[in-house]
Structures are given as C-alpha cells and as structure tokens.
Amino acid sequence: MEREQHISVEVIDLRSLNPYDWEAITSSVQKTSRVIVAYEDSLSWGYGAEIAARIADQLFQNLDAPVRRVAAKDTFVAYQPLLENVILPQAADLYRTMKEVAEY
C-alpha cells in the first residue's frame, strides 16, 4: 500500500482472542482513525464481527471512516484448493478494502 498508493498501514496481530489486546486496538484507532478487521472466519457471527462491533460502539468518536471487515464468505468451508481461494479472504481483498477505507 505504501509503495503503490502512498498509504501507510498499521497492522496489529492480536495473537490471542481471549483475552484480546483492547488497549492496542484502542491506541491504533486513536492514532489512525480507521479500522479494517481481517480474519479467516466467516464474515458474520465470528470474533472479527464482535471486535468490529465493539470498536464501532466504544471508539466511534475516534473514527473517520466506517469499520470494515475482510473475512471468509458466509458459506460452508471448501477443502478443494480453488474453492478455498474463492471463499477465504485473499491479499487482493485486503488491498482493495484498505484502498477504499483510505479514500473514504
């Protein structure tokens, strides 16, 4: 993103989901004013959805753009490699979303 679009991105790898590092998330949102929650679970009803909802609920005043999610499609898990690439989030999906959020 920085090389092609001149957009600097901060990445947080939570490493743990219970407990997760809410202080790191808060600090990043306050610093960047934007959030993309990227995860391989289904888009709906998963940890990423809950984290995005908490950010939108508790850190709304710090946001300059909507919280976006990049995740797997809400469908059954495919184990065939070509289908797996269609269902799971890919680098191109994340890149496109980062660009859209930066341009908001």
Side-chain angles (χ1 to χ4, degrees):
M1 285 303 296
E2 192 162 4
R3 184 178 61 241
E4 295 176 16
Q5 300 292 329
H6 306 290
I7 298 169
S8 179
V9 176
E10 180 170 280
V11 176
I12 298 173
D13 183 354
L14 291 178
R15 301 283 179 162
S16 169
L17 294 176
N18 191 12
Y20 60 87
D21 193 348
W22 180 246
E23 290 77 26
I25 294 169
T26 300
S27 175
S28 182
V29 171
Q30 290 171 342
K31 177 179 169 185
T32 64
S33 302
R34 287 170 166 73
V35 176
I36 298 171
V37 180
Y39 54 106
E40 281 194 344
D41 197 2
S42 297
L43 182 67
S44 303
W45 309 290
Y47 252 101
E50 287 300 316
I51 291 170
R54 184 173 180 194
I55 292 167
D57 183 47
Q58 295 183 12
L59 300 174
F60 180 78
Q61 70 277 4
N62 300 108
L63 295 170
D64 289 338
V67 177
R68 294 288 307 272
R69 293 177 290 150
V70 176
K73 292 183 177 21
D74 289 331
T75 188
F76 300 103
V77 175
Y79 293 101
Q80 201 278 343
L82 294 176
L83 289 176
E84 190 174 88
N85 289 340
V86 171
I87 292 170
L88 294 176
Q90 302 298 310
D93 301 322
L94 190 56
Y95 183 89
R96 182 180 57 256
T97 305
M98 286 188 288
K99 190 170 184 274
E100 290 170 1
V101 168
E103 293 172 350
Y104 185 87

